[in-house]
Structure formats: structure tokens, C-alpha cells
Amino acid sequence: MIPPTRNFDQALSLPALDGSFFAADWPAPANVRTLITTRRGGHSKGAYGSLNVGAHVGDDPAAVAANRALVQARIALPVAYLNQVHGNTAVAAASSLKTPADADASFDNSSQAACAVMTADCLPVLFCDHAGTVVAAAHAGWRGLAGGVLENTIDAMGVPPLEIMAWLGPAIGPEAFEVGEDVREAFCRNLSAAEAAFHAIGGGKYLADIYALAKLVLRRAGVSRIYGGEHCTVLEREHFFSYRRDGQTGRMLSAIWLQPESTG
């Protein structure tokens, strides 16, 4: 049984931009900008209410386009959407502007495009380097997380891991992420410390902490500055879409970009 929804004001320690958007709370360079959507403040109806940016979930295409326009109006660069496939491929964001690439992560060091991923329980991870020369965004469901999407994203950024910081966006929390032995084995066979991220609840089932797993993967890859990881998309019903909770639902967006000098 899913516990009652927690108080959002207590759970949300990130600085709200308004009722629909917020920004990552981390010590990124001034030219690195982020935007994370909630489910609020858009045009979609019913199960997709209301700021759904997913064009692949059965929502009215006109509503999705209007929602994406709301998001784009707040981002200085064109948003590079991906055709996410629960894999581990990272591409240059600019290459995904005209036709979304089949990939689960993108990076940019050119101020040509905003890196972005869509989620509704899977973990969005935003990256930048300390000097503000490169950014990236990764979609880390459990398959991608176990399969190397974060490591491949770090490699694609082209800077030493010790110069990279990461922010973990809204995902399914440890009180709601019930998994089977297959998921536990996928992590624990190559990362013994992952045992601590699984709590047995009987019947071959576990509660998994995707934030703890991501931190283990990032630290193993050499990234030590890690922020975020404070939400639960399942429990915070009024503010986040959740596929695990609702089945038919929308998608949030987590975006990061290098602000062009001319725009301030």
C-alpha cells in the first residue's frame, strides 16, 4: 500500500520559480541554467492534467504542443527532446533538435541546445562541470541505471569525472519503488554496495532506493558532488506524474543548458 501523500512544502526544498516550474538547487556555475516541470499549469486534460510534455503517451497533440511552448518560453535555447528507449546511449543535444534521437541522454558544450529528459517515476539526472563548459541530462530508469547510462553520459561530456557535479531530479521514492529479484540482481551482481539500497518485504519483493543506487553508480564513476534526490513522484500526487501510480499519465521535463552570453 502506498503511504499517504507527504506535505509538498516540506518535501520540496528546491527554490520554486512558480507553481509549474522549479530549478535545481546546487552550486552550478552562473551560466548553467535548469528548469524542471511539475504536472501543474498546462493545457492537458484528464489523466494528462495538466502540463504534460510527452507526445508519446496518448494525449491531445495540440495540448502537448501548447505545453511544450510554455516550457520553451522559459528556456533560452531550443529544447532537444529524445525518443527515450530505456537504453544507455548519450548523444549531442543539437543533433536531436530536428528529429529526436533514439537515446536516453544528451550533452551540450556549444550553447546550441538545451539537454532534456522526460520522466514519470524514472530518475532524471542533470550534469555540469565546475567550469560551466558542458552540461548533460540523462533518463535513468532502473534498466538504464544498471546498464550504464550515467557512466556513458559522463564519458560523453569529455571532462574528468572529478570536475563534474550531478543533480538527481524527481523520481519514485524508496517508500514506493517495489521491485523483484531481477532488479536487485541487476545491480548487486556488479556493485556489492547496492545491497543496502534494497529492503526485503517478502515474497521475493523489495523496496528499492533509486536515489541511493544512482549515488553509488555516480561515485563509482568518479563523480563525488551529488545533489537533489528529495522527492517521490508517486507520493507527491498533486505535483508529479507517476506511471507506477496511475498507468495512463503525462510526463515531466528536466532540462539543463548553457546560457548564451548575449541573453544574460
Side-chain angles (χ1 to χ4, degrees):
M1 177 180 296
I2 295 172
T5 303
R6 295 178 295 178
N7 181 279
F8 184 73
D9 292 331
Q10 293 177 354
L12 180 58
S13 62
L14 307 177
L17 301 182
D18 60 29
S20 303
F21 309 96
F22 62 96
D25 183 15
W26 61 342
N31 68 316
V32 173
R33 305 293 174 87
T34 63
L35 185 79
I36 300 90
T37 71
T38 67
R39 68 177 301 167
R40 305 173 70 181
H43 298 277
S44 296
K45 305 297 183 183
Y48 308 107
S50 63
L51 189 57
N52 166 47
V53 298
H56 63 294
V57 295
D59 193 7
D60 177 6
V64 176
N67 291 338
R68 289 189 175 191
L70 287 174
V71 174
Q72 185 62 75
R74 291 177 168 270
I75 297 177
L77 300 175
V79 176
Y81 289 89
L82 301 172
N83 179 32
Q84 297 168 190
V85 294
H86 293 274
N88 61 13
T89 299
V91 299
S95 70
S96 193
L97 287 175
K98 292 184 178 179
T99 302
D102 291 342
D104 286 271
S106 66
F107 63 93
D108 182 68
N109 58 9
S110 65
S111 297
Q112 296 291 313
C115 304
V117 291
M118 296 179 289
T119 58
D121 286 335
C122 291
L123 175 64
V125 183
L126 303 181
F127 298 88
C128 72
D129 70 324
H130 300 170
T133 66
V134 60
V135 294
H139 161 248
W142 75 262
R143 290 179 179 84
L145 185 57
V149 68
L150 298 189
E151 296 95 320
N152 288 354
T153 304
I154 292 165
D155 289 344
M157 292 174 71
V159 296
L162 285 176
E163 297 180 12
I164 293 173
M165 66 182 76
W167 181 80
L168 310 181
I172 187 170
E175 296 172 325
F177 191 23
E178 183 178 317
V179 302
E181 182 62 40
D182 58 330
V183 177
R184 179 177 172 276
E185 173 63 20
F187 287 97
C188 294
R189 64 172 170 256
N190 295 318
L191 187 60
S192 59
E195 293 274 0
F198 294 89
H199 173 67
I201 55 175
K205 299 294 185 180
Y206 302 84
L207 288 176
D209 188 339
I210 199 168
Y211 292 127
L213 291 168
K215 290 173 183 177
L216 287 170
V217 169
L218 288 166
R219 288 172 180 141
R220 182 177 62 180
V223 175
S224 59
R225 298 181 65 186
I226 307 168
Y227 306 90
E230 299 164 347
H231 293 288
C232 179
T233 48
V234 174
L235 301 184
E236 294 172 40
R237 179 183 298 272
E238 296 301 314
H239 299 272
F240 299 118
F241 295 115
S242 169
Y243 182 81
R244 177 70 66 105
R245 182 188 64 226
D246 299 327
Q248 185 181 24
T249 193
R251 298 294 185 271
M252 289 91 63
L253 190 82
S254 296
I256 186 167
W257 66 98
L258 295 170
Q259 187 79 357
E261 291 184 10
S262 61
T263 63

